[in-house]
């Protein structure tokens, strides 16, 4: 089993591009369905630290659940713990792909940034 975990959604074009990037470069990884199995609280906390405490970076701000739950307005009033617990319960709210591994933590896909990372 690979140490690199990629939380992704099959219906997400960005996830498909990210997975193709990894496959093309023969980077071993494990794909985890983000909607069914969101990242753990520990993984979310580690990612939050990588993004200097910017909670918004961890949210799928273009997602239907984000908009339906009015997270944009609710987020400023949430504690980091509350926000991370919400993300851990609802994988649809998590920005994807969500990639964690030894020394690696990144959300979203940008080919140029991934070239430098991997």
């Amino acid at each position: 089993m690979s140490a690199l975990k990629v939380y992704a959604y099959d219906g997400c074009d960005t996830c498909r591009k990210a997975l193709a990037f990894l496959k093309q470069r023969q980077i071993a990884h494990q794909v985890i369905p983000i909607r069914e199995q969101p990242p753990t609280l520990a993984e979310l906390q580690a990612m939050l630290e990588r993004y200097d405490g910017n909670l918004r970076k961890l949210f799928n701000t273009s997602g239907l659940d984000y908009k339906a739950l009015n997270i944009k307005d609710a987020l400023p009033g949430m504690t980091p713990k509350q926000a991370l617990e919400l993300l851990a319960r609802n994988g649809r709210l998590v920005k994807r792909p969500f990639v964690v591994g030894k020394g690696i933590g990144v959300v979203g896909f940008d080919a140029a940034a991934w070239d430098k990372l991997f």
Side-chain angles (χ1 to χ4, degrees):
M1 184 182 305
S2 168
L4 188 65
K5 291 184 192 178
V6 181
Y7 289 89
Y9 171 57
D10 286 342
C12 171
D13 189 50
T14 303
C15 292
R16 287 192 293 270
K17 288 176 185 175
L19 294 171
F21 175 98
L22 295 172
K23 184 176 180 180
Q24 182 182 35
R25 287 159 181 78
Q26 298 179 356
I27 298 169
H29 59 281
Q30 172 190 12
V31 180
I32 300 168
I34 197 165
R35 288 183 170 194
E36 293 81 7
Q37 186 181 339
T40 66
L41 275 173
E43 290 169 333
L44 289 161
Q45 181 62 50
M47 193 68 76
L48 181 61
E49 290 170 15
R50 287 196 171 275
Y51 284 90
D52 297 321
N54 186 345
L55 282 167
R56 191 170 184 278
K57 292 279 188 179
L58 304 185
F59 280 87
N60 176 12
T61 58
S62 61
L64 295 176
D65 284 15
Y66 182 87
K67 293 172 183 172
L69 296 171
N70 199 24
I71 302 294
K72 178 182 177 185
D73 293 332
L75 191 58
M78 287 184 193
T79 66
K81 181 181 179 194
Q82 290 170 324
L84 295 180
E85 287 173 350
L86 180 61
L87 289 167
R89 286 191 313 268
N90 186 342
R92 295 172 201 235
L93 291 173
V94 181
K95 184 167 178 83
R96 57 189 186 245
F98 186 100
V99 182
V100 292
K102 187 174 182 175
I104 294 174
V106 65
V107 294
F109 175 69
D110 176 300
W114 279 39
D115 268 332
K116 292 177 184 174
L117 182 64
F118 296 104

